[in-house]
Protein backbone atom coordinates (compact mmCIF):
# COMPACT_ATOMS: atom_id res chain seq x y z
CA UNK A 1 0.00 0.00 0.00
CA UNK A 2 1.50 3.39 -0.95
CA UNK A 3 2.04 6.00 1.74
CA UNK A 4 -0.94 8.32 1.83
CA UNK A 5 0.28 11.73 0.72
CA UNK A 6 -3.11 13.29 0.25
CA UNK A 7 -2.71 15.68 3.21
CA UNK A 8 0.46 17.44 1.99
CA UNK A 9 -0.80 17.31 -1.59
CA UNK A 10 -3.98 19.09 -0.63
CA UNK A 11 -2.01 21.88 1.02
CA UNK A 12 0.22 22.09 -2.03
CA UNK A 13 -2.86 22.38 -4.20
CA UNK A 14 -4.34 25.13 -2.07
CA UNK A 15 -1.06 27.03 -2.25
CA UNK A 16 -0.82 26.71 -6.02
CA UNK A 17 -4.43 27.80 -6.38
CA UNK A 18 -3.83 30.83 -4.20
CA UNK A 19 -0.80 31.77 -6.25
CA UNK A 20 -2.81 31.33 -9.42
CA UNK A 21 -5.47 33.68 -8.12
CA UNK A 22 -2.91 36.26 -7.11
CA UNK A 23 -1.27 36.09 -10.51
CA UNK A 24 -4.65 36.52 -12.18
CA UNK A 25 -5.39 39.55 -10.06
CA UNK A 26 -2.10 41.11 -11.06
CA UNK A 27 -2.67 40.20 -14.67
CA UNK A 28 0.51 38.10 -14.69
CA UNK A 29 -0.78 35.56 -17.19
CA UNK A 30 2.48 33.65 -17.56
CA UNK A 31 2.59 32.76 -13.86
CA UNK A 32 -1.15 32.12 -13.84
CA UNK A 33 -0.72 29.57 -16.62
CA UNK A 34 2.14 27.87 -14.79
CA UNK A 35 0.16 27.71 -11.58
CA UNK A 36 -2.92 26.34 -13.36
CA UNK A 37 -0.76 23.54 -14.77
CA UNK A 38 0.66 22.89 -11.33
CA UNK A 39 -2.86 22.63 -9.88
CA UNK A 40 -3.75 20.13 -12.57
CA UNK A 41 -0.63 18.05 -11.84
CA UNK A 42 -1.28 17.96 -8.10
CA UNK A 43 -4.92 16.97 -8.60
CA UNK A 44 -3.83 14.08 -10.80
CA UNK A 45 -1.51 12.89 -8.05
CA UNK A 46 -4.26 13.28 -5.50
CA UNK A 47 -6.54 11.06 -7.56
CA UNK A 48 -4.17 8.18 -6.88
CA UNK A 49 -4.64 8.37 -3.14
CA UNK A 50 -8.33 8.96 -2.84
CA UNK A 51 -10.21 6.17 -4.58
CA UNK A 52 -13.57 7.61 -3.58
CA UNK A 53 -12.98 11.03 -5.14
CA UNK A 54 -10.82 9.81 -8.01
CA UNK A 55 -13.17 10.80 -10.79
CA UNK A 56 -13.83 14.17 -9.30
CA UNK A 57 -10.08 14.94 -8.93
CA UNK A 58 -9.40 13.90 -12.50
CA UNK A 59 -12.26 16.02 -13.74
CA UNK A 60 -10.96 19.01 -11.85
CA UNK A 61 -7.44 18.36 -13.14
CA UNK A 62 -8.80 18.53 -16.66
CA UNK A 63 -10.51 21.81 -15.94
CA UNK A 64 -7.25 23.36 -14.73
CA UNK A 65 -5.52 22.05 -17.81
CA UNK A 66 -8.03 23.64 -20.14
CA UNK A 67 -7.83 26.81 -18.08
CA UNK A 68 -4.08 26.89 -18.75
CA UNK A 69 -4.77 26.34 -22.45
CA UNK A 70 -7.30 29.15 -22.51
CA UNK A 71 -4.78 31.47 -20.92
CA UNK A 72 -2.21 30.50 -23.51
CA UNK A 73 -4.57 31.08 -26.40
CA UNK A 74 -5.59 34.43 -24.93
CA UNK A 75 -9.19 33.31 -24.46
CA UNK A 76 -8.95 34.17 -20.81
CA UNK A 77 -7.42 37.55 -20.38
CA UNK A 78 -8.06 38.45 -16.76
CA UNK A 79 -9.96 37.39 -13.67
CA UNK A 80 -13.15 35.69 -14.78
CA UNK A 81 -15.63 36.02 -11.98
CA UNK A 82 -18.23 38.72 -12.61
CA UNK A 83 -19.16 41.10 -9.85
CA UNK A 84 -22.75 41.25 -8.65
CA UNK A 85 -24.54 44.05 -10.39
CA UNK A 86 -26.38 46.85 -8.76
CA UNK A 87 -30.10 46.40 -8.87
CA UNK A 88 -31.60 47.81 -12.01
CA UNK A 89 -28.31 48.21 -13.80
CA UNK A 90 -28.41 46.41 -17.09
CA UNK A 91 -24.71 46.26 -17.77
CA UNK A 92 -21.84 44.81 -15.82
CA UNK A 93 -19.66 47.00 -13.70
CA UNK A 94 -16.84 48.61 -15.61
CA UNK A 95 -13.32 47.52 -14.92
CA UNK A 96 -11.80 44.09 -15.00
CA UNK A 97 -14.75 42.58 -16.84
CA UNK A 98 -14.15 44.64 -19.96
CA UNK A 99 -11.30 42.52 -21.17
CA UNK A 100 -13.19 39.37 -21.53
CA UNK A 101 -16.24 38.31 -23.42
CA UNK A 102 -19.53 38.62 -21.61
CA UNK A 103 -20.45 35.07 -22.34
CA UNK A 104 -17.31 33.70 -20.71
CA UNK A 105 -17.94 35.86 -17.69
CA UNK A 106 -21.42 34.50 -17.08
CA UNK A 107 -20.24 30.97 -17.69
CA UNK A 108 -17.54 31.48 -15.10
CA UNK A 109 -20.18 32.69 -12.69
CA UNK A 110 -22.20 29.53 -13.31
CA UNK A 111 -19.16 27.32 -12.84
CA UNK A 112 -18.15 29.05 -9.63
CA UNK A 113 -21.52 29.42 -8.00
CA UNK A 114 -24.18 27.11 -9.33
CA UNK A 115 -22.46 23.74 -9.48
CA UNK A 116 -23.16 21.73 -6.35
CA UNK A 117 -21.57 18.46 -5.36
CA UNK A 118 -24.13 15.84 -4.49
CA UNK A 119 -23.38 12.86 -2.31
CA UNK A 120 -27.02 12.02 -1.65
CA UNK A 121 -27.97 8.46 -2.50
CA UNK A 122 -31.39 6.96 -3.18
CA UNK A 123 -31.02 5.13 0.15
CA UNK A 124 -30.96 8.41 2.02
CA UNK A 125 -34.57 8.99 1.05
CA UNK A 126 -37.27 7.33 3.10
CA UNK A 127 -40.52 6.26 1.46
CA UNK A 128 -41.47 7.83 -1.88
CA UNK A 129 -40.89 4.45 -3.52
CA UNK A 130 -43.04 5.20 -6.53
CA UNK A 131 -41.47 8.64 -7.02
CA UNK A 132 -37.98 7.20 -6.70
CA UNK A 133 -38.78 4.50 -9.23
CA UNK A 134 -40.14 7.02 -11.72
CA UNK A 135 -37.10 9.20 -11.36
CA UNK A 136 -34.66 6.32 -11.60
CA UNK A 137 -36.37 5.16 -14.77
CA UNK A 138 -36.22 8.61 -16.30
CA UNK A 139 -32.59 9.06 -15.43
CA UNK A 140 -31.66 5.63 -16.74
CA UNK A 141 -33.60 5.99 -19.99
CA UNK A 142 -31.95 9.33 -20.57
CA UNK A 143 -28.52 7.81 -20.09
CA UNK A 144 -29.02 4.59 -22.12
CA UNK A 145 -28.33 4.10 -25.80
CA UNK A 146 -31.70 4.13 -27.51
CA UNK A 147 -33.41 4.53 -30.86
CA UNK A 148 -34.00 8.10 -31.92
CA UNK A 149 -37.77 7.83 -31.62
CA UNK A 150 -37.59 7.12 -27.91
CA UNK A 151 -37.10 10.43 -26.21
CA UNK A 152 -36.71 10.67 -22.45
CA UNK A 153 -38.39 13.42 -20.46
CA UNK A 154 -36.34 16.59 -20.58
CA UNK A 155 -38.06 18.13 -17.65
CA UNK A 156 -39.70 16.82 -14.51
CA UNK A 157 -41.73 18.92 -12.12
CA UNK A 158 -41.67 17.92 -8.46
CA UNK A 159 -44.48 19.42 -6.43
CA UNK A 160 -45.71 18.97 -2.90
CA UNK A 161 -45.74 20.46 0.60
CA UNK A 162 -42.53 21.97 2.04
CA UNK A 163 -39.95 19.59 3.44
CA UNK A 164 -41.12 16.42 1.72
CA UNK A 165 -37.87 15.62 -0.07
CA UNK A 166 -38.00 17.44 -3.41
CA UNK A 167 -34.52 18.87 -3.11
CA UNK A 168 -33.33 15.54 -1.75
CA UNK A 169 -34.72 13.69 -4.78
CA UNK A 170 -32.98 16.02 -7.21
CA UNK A 171 -29.69 15.60 -5.35
CA UNK A 172 -30.06 11.82 -5.34
CA UNK A 173 -30.68 11.78 -9.08
CA UNK A 174 -27.49 13.77 -9.62
CA UNK A 175 -25.53 11.76 -7.07
CA UNK A 176 -26.49 8.40 -8.55
CA UNK A 177 -25.58 9.41 -12.10
CA UNK A 178 -22.44 11.16 -11.03
CA UNK A 179 -23.85 13.99 -13.08
CA UNK A 180 -22.85 17.62 -12.77
CA UNK A 181 -25.47 19.10 -10.52
CA UNK A 182 -26.57 22.69 -11.06
CA UNK A 183 -28.71 24.04 -8.31
CA UNK A 184 -30.52 27.28 -8.96
CA UNK A 185 -32.97 29.26 -6.92
CA UNK A 186 -34.73 31.67 -9.24
CA UNK A 187 -35.19 34.23 -6.51
CA UNK A 188 -31.45 34.21 -5.69
CA UNK A 189 -30.36 34.76 -9.27
CA UNK A 190 -32.94 37.49 -9.66
CA UNK A 191 -31.99 39.38 -6.53
CA UNK A 192 -28.26 39.22 -7.24
CA UNK A 193 -28.21 39.68 -10.97
CA UNK A 194 -31.47 41.37 -11.70
CA UNK A 195 -31.11 42.69 -15.24
CA UNK A 196 -28.63 39.97 -16.17
CA UNK A 197 -30.53 36.97 -14.90
CA UNK A 198 -31.62 35.89 -18.37
CA UNK A 199 -27.97 35.74 -19.41
CA UNK A 200 -27.20 33.58 -16.41
CA UNK A 201 -29.82 31.10 -17.64
CA UNK A 202 -28.28 31.00 -21.12
CA UNK A 203 -24.84 30.50 -19.61
CA UNK A 204 -26.23 27.86 -17.27
CA UNK A 205 -27.46 25.67 -20.10
CA UNK A 206 -24.31 26.33 -22.11
CA UNK A 207 -22.17 25.02 -19.24
CA UNK A 208 -24.63 22.16 -18.62
CA UNK A 209 -24.07 21.05 -22.22
CA UNK A 210 -20.31 21.25 -21.81
CA UNK A 211 -20.38 19.32 -18.55
CA UNK A 212 -23.01 16.72 -19.51
CA UNK A 213 -24.37 14.50 -18.09
CA UNK A 214 -25.99 17.32 -16.16
CA UNK A 215 -28.95 17.77 -13.93
CA UNK A 216 -30.29 21.29 -13.64
CA UNK A 217 -32.36 21.80 -10.53
CA UNK A 218 -34.61 24.85 -10.58
CA UNK A 219 -35.93 25.42 -7.11
CA UNK A 220 -38.96 27.63 -6.44
CA UNK A 221 -39.89 27.76 -10.09
CA UNK A 222 -43.19 29.37 -9.10
CA UNK A 223 -41.34 32.59 -8.29
CA UNK A 224 -40.83 33.10 -12.02
CA UNK A 225 -44.28 32.54 -13.24
CA UNK A 226 -46.68 35.29 -14.26
CA UNK A 227 -49.78 34.01 -12.57
CA UNK A 228 -48.34 34.74 -9.19
CA UNK A 229 -48.01 38.48 -9.23
CA UNK A 230 -49.29 41.09 -11.59
CA UNK A 231 -46.35 43.40 -11.00
CA UNK A 232 -43.84 40.75 -11.99
CA UNK A 233 -40.72 42.55 -13.03
CA UNK A 234 -39.39 42.80 -16.52
CA UNK A 235 -36.26 40.94 -15.34
CA UNK A 236 -38.09 37.84 -14.18
CA UNK A 237 -40.24 37.88 -17.30
CA UNK A 238 -37.11 37.83 -19.42
CA UNK A 239 -35.52 35.16 -17.27
CA UNK A 240 -38.59 32.97 -17.65
CA UNK A 241 -38.74 33.50 -21.40
CA UNK A 242 -35.10 32.48 -21.74
CA UNK A 243 -35.65 29.44 -19.60
CA UNK A 244 -38.59 28.31 -21.70
CA UNK A 245 -36.55 28.74 -24.88
CA UNK A 246 -33.72 26.69 -23.43
CA UNK A 247 -36.11 23.95 -22.42
CA UNK A 248 -37.60 23.90 -25.92
CA UNK A 249 -34.18 23.98 -27.52
CA UNK A 250 -33.21 20.65 -26.12
CA UNK A 251 -36.33 19.04 -27.39
CA UNK A 252 -35.27 19.69 -30.98
CA UNK A 253 -31.62 18.86 -30.81
CA UNK A 254 -30.84 15.24 -31.47
CA UNK A 255 -28.04 15.40 -29.03
CA UNK A 256 -27.23 12.34 -26.98
CA UNK A 257 -25.99 14.46 -24.13
CA UNK A 258 -28.06 14.06 -21.00
CA UNK A 259 -29.36 17.32 -19.61
CA UNK A 260 -32.28 16.77 -17.34
CA UNK A 261 -34.10 19.72 -15.84
CA UNK A 262 -35.86 19.14 -12.54
CA UNK A 263 -38.06 21.89 -11.21
CA UNK A 264 -39.61 22.08 -7.76
CA UNK A 265 -42.47 24.04 -6.27
CA UNK A 266 -44.70 24.20 -3.19
CA UNK A 267 -47.38 26.09 -5.06
CA UNK A 268 -48.02 24.27 -8.35
CA UNK A 269 -51.30 26.17 -8.80
CA UNK A 270 -49.25 29.32 -9.36
CA UNK A 271 -47.65 27.89 -12.47
CA UNK A 272 -48.99 29.09 -15.77
CA UNK A 273 -49.62 27.08 -18.89
CA UNK A 274 -46.33 28.12 -20.50
CA UNK A 275 -44.34 26.52 -17.69
CA UNK A 276 -46.58 23.51 -17.20
CA UNK A 277 -46.44 22.57 -20.86
CA UNK A 278 -42.63 22.26 -20.65
CA UNK A 279 -42.97 19.84 -17.77
CA UNK A 280 -45.38 17.16 -18.95
CA UNK A 281 -44.07 14.84 -16.24
CA UNK A 282 -45.34 16.13 -12.92
CA UNK A 283 -44.61 14.14 -9.82
CA UNK A 284 -46.43 14.59 -6.55
CA UNK A 285 -44.12 14.37 -3.54
CA UNK A 286 -46.55 13.86 -0.68
CA UNK A 287 -46.22 13.80 3.10
CA UNK A 288 -44.81 10.50 4.33
CA UNK A 289 -47.25 7.75 5.34
CA UNK A 290 -46.56 5.55 8.37
CA UNK A 291 -44.22 3.20 6.58
CA UNK A 292 -42.22 6.06 5.08
CA UNK A 293 -42.19 7.84 8.43
CA UNK A 294 -40.53 4.85 10.04
CA UNK A 295 -37.90 4.76 7.32
CA UNK A 296 -37.16 8.46 7.70
CA UNK A 297 -36.82 8.07 11.46
CA UNK A 298 -34.37 5.22 10.94
CA UNK A 299 -32.33 7.31 8.50
CA UNK A 300 -32.20 10.17 10.98
CA UNK A 301 -31.17 8.06 13.97
CA UNK A 302 -28.45 6.08 12.21
CA UNK A 303 -25.75 4.92 14.59
CA UNK A 304 -28.00 5.05 17.65
CA UNK A 305 -29.82 2.26 19.45
CA UNK A 306 -33.55 2.54 18.71
CA UNK A 307 -34.58 -0.93 19.86
CA UNK A 308 -36.57 0.47 22.77
CA UNK A 309 -38.70 2.72 20.61
CA UNK A 310 -42.25 1.89 19.61
CA UNK A 311 -41.80 3.06 16.03
CA UNK A 312 -45.41 2.27 15.13
CA UNK A 313 -46.68 4.59 17.83
CA UNK A 314 -44.26 7.37 16.84
CA UNK A 315 -45.22 7.00 13.18
CA UNK A 316 -48.92 7.07 13.94
CA UNK A 317 -48.59 10.25 15.96
CA UNK A 318 -46.38 11.89 13.31
CA UNK A 319 -48.82 11.17 10.52
CA UNK A 320 -51.68 12.48 12.64
CA UNK A 321 -49.71 15.68 13.11
CA UNK A 322 -49.08 16.02 9.37
CA UNK A 323 -45.29 15.89 9.78
CA UNK A 324 -43.13 16.24 6.69
CA UNK A 325 -39.72 14.60 6.26
CA UNK A 326 -38.16 17.85 7.48
CA UNK A 327 -40.36 17.85 10.59
CA UNK A 328 -39.33 14.24 11.20
CA UNK A 329 -35.67 15.11 10.91
CA UNK A 330 -36.21 17.92 13.42
CA UNK A 331 -38.18 15.58 15.68
CA UNK A 332 -35.31 13.09 15.72
CA UNK A 333 -32.77 15.81 16.39
CA UNK A 334 -34.83 17.09 19.31
CA UNK A 335 -35.19 13.57 20.72
CA UNK A 336 -31.47 12.92 20.33
CA UNK A 337 -30.71 16.20 22.07
CA UNK A 338 -32.98 15.24 24.95
CA UNK A 339 -31.02 12.04 25.35
CA UNK A 340 -27.63 13.76 25.08
CA UNK A 341 -28.52 16.43 27.63
CA UNK A 342 -29.77 13.86 30.09
CA UNK A 343 -26.63 11.78 29.77
CA UNK A 344 -24.18 14.69 29.81
CA UNK A 345 -25.57 17.04 32.40
CA UNK A 346 -22.37 18.99 32.85
CA UNK A 347 -21.91 19.58 29.13
CA UNK A 348 -22.11 23.37 29.39
CA UNK A 349 -19.40 23.44 32.02
CA UNK A 350 -16.92 22.01 29.56
CA UNK A 351 -17.27 25.11 27.40
CA UNK A 352 -14.28 26.73 29.09
CA UNK A 353 -11.95 23.86 28.22
CA UNK A 354 -9.54 24.28 25.32
CA UNK A 355 -10.38 22.51 22.10
CA UNK A 356 -7.53 20.01 22.49
CA UNK A 357 -8.89 18.94 25.88
CA UNK A 358 -12.38 18.51 24.45
CA UNK A 359 -11.09 16.32 21.63
CA UNK A 360 -9.99 13.79 24.22
CA UNK A 361 -13.41 13.35 25.75
CA UNK A 362 -16.37 11.65 24.20
CA UNK A 363 -20.08 12.19 24.42
CA UNK A 364 -22.03 9.75 26.56
CA UNK A 365 -25.04 8.19 24.84
CA UNK A 366 -27.72 5.67 25.68
CA UNK A 367 -30.48 3.99 23.70
CA UNK A 368 -33.26 6.37 22.65
CA UNK A 369 -36.39 6.10 24.77
CA UNK A 370 -40.02 6.92 24.11
CA UNK A 371 -39.84 9.79 26.60
CA UNK A 372 -37.22 11.52 24.44
CA UNK A 373 -39.72 11.54 21.60
CA UNK A 374 -42.68 12.50 23.75
CA UNK A 375 -40.79 15.64 24.77
CA UNK A 376 -39.74 16.30 21.18
CA UNK A 377 -43.30 16.07 19.86
CA UNK A 378 -44.19 19.09 21.97
CA UNK A 379 -41.66 21.22 20.12
CA UNK A 380 -42.33 20.30 16.49
CA UNK A 381 -45.35 21.80 14.76
CA UNK A 382 -46.28 21.23 11.18
CA UNK A 383 -47.28 24.40 9.35
CA UNK A 384 -49.79 22.42 7.29
CA UNK A 385 -53.48 21.83 7.69
CA UNK A 386 -55.72 19.08 6.27
CA UNK A 387 -57.06 21.65 3.86
CA UNK A 388 -53.61 22.38 2.47
CA UNK A 389 -53.07 18.69 1.83
CA UNK A 390 -56.41 18.39 0.08
CA UNK A 391 -55.39 21.22 -2.19
CA UNK A 392 -52.22 19.35 -3.22
CA UNK A 393 -54.14 16.15 -3.74
CA UNK A 394 -56.71 17.87 -5.87
CA UNK A 395 -54.07 19.50 -8.01
CA UNK A 396 -52.25 16.18 -8.34
CA UNK A 397 -55.42 14.51 -9.51
CA UNK A 398 -56.14 17.19 -12.06
CA UNK A 399 -52.71 18.06 -13.39
CA UNK A 400 -50.28 15.46 -12.02
CA UNK A 401 -48.92 12.54 -13.97
N1 LIG B 1 -38.34 11.37 2.22
C1 LIG B 1 -37.36 11.78 3.02
N2 LIG B 1 -36.43 10.90 3.49
C2 LIG B 1 -35.45 11.30 4.32
N3 LIG B 1 -35.29 12.56 4.75
C3 LIG B 1 -36.18 13.48 4.34
C4 LIG B 1 -37.25 13.14 3.44
N4 LIG B 1 -37.94 14.26 3.18
C5 LIG B 1 -37.35 15.24 3.86
N5 LIG B 1 -36.29 14.79 4.55
C6 LIG B 1 -35.41 15.58 5.44
O1 LIG B 1 -35.85 16.91 5.39
C7 LIG B 1 -34.87 17.77 4.82
C8 LIG B 1 -35.53 18.73 3.88
O2 LIG B 1 -35.99 18.06 2.72
P1 LIG B 1 -35.96 18.73 1.28
O3 LIG B 1 -35.05 19.91 1.33
O4 LIG B 1 -35.70 17.72 0.28
O5 LIG B 1 -37.46 19.23 1.21
P2 LIG B 1 -38.16 20.01 0.01
O6 LIG B 1 -39.31 19.17 -0.42
O7 LIG B 1 -37.18 20.39 -1.01
O8 LIG B 1 -38.71 21.26 0.80
P3 LIG B 1 -39.04 22.73 0.26
O9 LIG B 1 -40.28 22.60 -0.55
O10 LIG B 1 -39.25 23.52 1.51
O11 LIG B 1 -37.85 23.17 -0.53
C9 LIG B 1 -33.90 16.84 4.12
O12 LIG B 1 -32.62 17.39 4.10
C10 LIG B 1 -33.99 15.59 4.95
O13 LIG B 1 -33.17 15.68 6.07
MG1 LIG C 1 -36.35 22.22 -1.50
Amino acid sequence: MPVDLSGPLLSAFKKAKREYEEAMKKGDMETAKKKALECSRILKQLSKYDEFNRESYLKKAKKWESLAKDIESGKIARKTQPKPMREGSSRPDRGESEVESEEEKFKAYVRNNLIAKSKVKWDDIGGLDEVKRLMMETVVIAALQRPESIQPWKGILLFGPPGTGKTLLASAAAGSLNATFFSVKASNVLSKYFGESAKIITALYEVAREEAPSIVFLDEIDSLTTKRSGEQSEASRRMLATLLTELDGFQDKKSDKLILTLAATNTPWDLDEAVLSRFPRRIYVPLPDEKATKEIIKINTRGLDISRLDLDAIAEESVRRLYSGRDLRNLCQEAIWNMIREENRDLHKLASLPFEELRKRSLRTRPLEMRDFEEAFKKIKSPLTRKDIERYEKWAEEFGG
Side-chain angles (χ1 to χ4, degrees), residues 114-175:
L114 302 182
I115 296 186
K117 198 77 216 145
S118 169
K119 281 201 177 144
V120 178
K121 300 180 300 300
W122 295 113
D123 280 353
D124 296 327
I125 304 175
L128 301 175
D129 296 336
E130 184 66 10
V131 179
K132 279 199 260 182
R133 214 196 47 162
L134 270 173
M135 289 195 50
M136 285 182 202
E137 281 171 5
T138 308
V139 165
V140 168
I141 290 180
L144 286 178
Q145 302 271 350
R146 58 182 182 275
E148 213 174 87
S149 56
I150 302 177
Q151 283 302 315
W153 304 102
K154 305 283 177 177
I156 300 181
L157 177 72
L158 301 169
F159 68 95
T164 44
K166 297 179 290 297
T167 301
L168 215 52
L169 281 162
S171 319

Side-chain angles (χ1 to χ4, degrees), residues 162-168 185 217 219-220 264-266 326:
T164 44
K166 297 179 290 297
T167 301
L168 215 52
K185 248 192 199 140
F217 179 53
D219 212 353
E220 296 175 359
T265 178
N266 293 323
R326 182 180 290 137

Side-chain angles (χ1 to χ4, degrees), residues 51-66:
E51 186 60 32
F52 188 69
N53 289 308
R54 214 179 134 239
E55 291 299 318
S56 138
Y57 279 134
L58 287 176
K59 220 166 149 187
K60 279 190 198 141
K62 258 212 185 118
K63 268 189 211 151
W64 280 102
E65 222 170 77
S66 67

Side-chain angles (χ1 to χ4, degrees), residues 26-128:
K26 283 194 221 141
D28 178 356
M29 304 318 279
E30 191 51 41
T31 310
K33 190 186 95 184
K34 258 193 224 149
K35 291 295 160 188
L37 284 174
E38 193 178 326
C39 285
S40 163
R41 233 179 0 251
I42 299 174
L43 285 167
K44 275 185 198 156
Q45 276 175 302
L46 264 167
S47 73
K48 290 183 200 148
Y49 295 107
D50 189 344
E51 186 60 32
F52 188 69
N53 289 308
R54 214 179 134 239
E55 291 299 318
S56 138
Y57 279 134
L58 287 176
K59 220 166 149 187
K60 279 190 198 141
K62 258 212 185 118
K63 268 189 211 151
W64 280 102
E65 222 170 77
S66 67
L67 204 62
K69 261 193 216 131
D70 286 351
I71 294 175
E72 191 164 71
S73 68
K75 212 164 155 194
I76 297 183
R78 296 198 53 188
K79 197 171 181 344
T80 45
Q81 190 162 342
K83 284 196 183 142
M85 269 134 253
R86 269 168 281 112
E87 193 138 316
S89 90
S90 60
R91 42 181 54 229
D93 285 350
R94 294 272 135 207
E96 50 187 306
S97 52
E98 279 175 335
V99 200
E100 188 196 308
S101 83
E102 255 213 344
E103 194 194 328
E104 283 303 321
K105 193 185 63 173
F106 287 110
K107 277 164 72 175
Y109 170 78
V110 168
R111 281 183 200 283
N112 292 333
N113 296 282
L114 302 182
I115 296 186
K117 198 77 216 145
S118 169
K119 281 201 177 144
V120 178
K121 300 180 300 300
W122 295 113
D123 280 353
D124 296 327
I125 304 175
L128 301 175

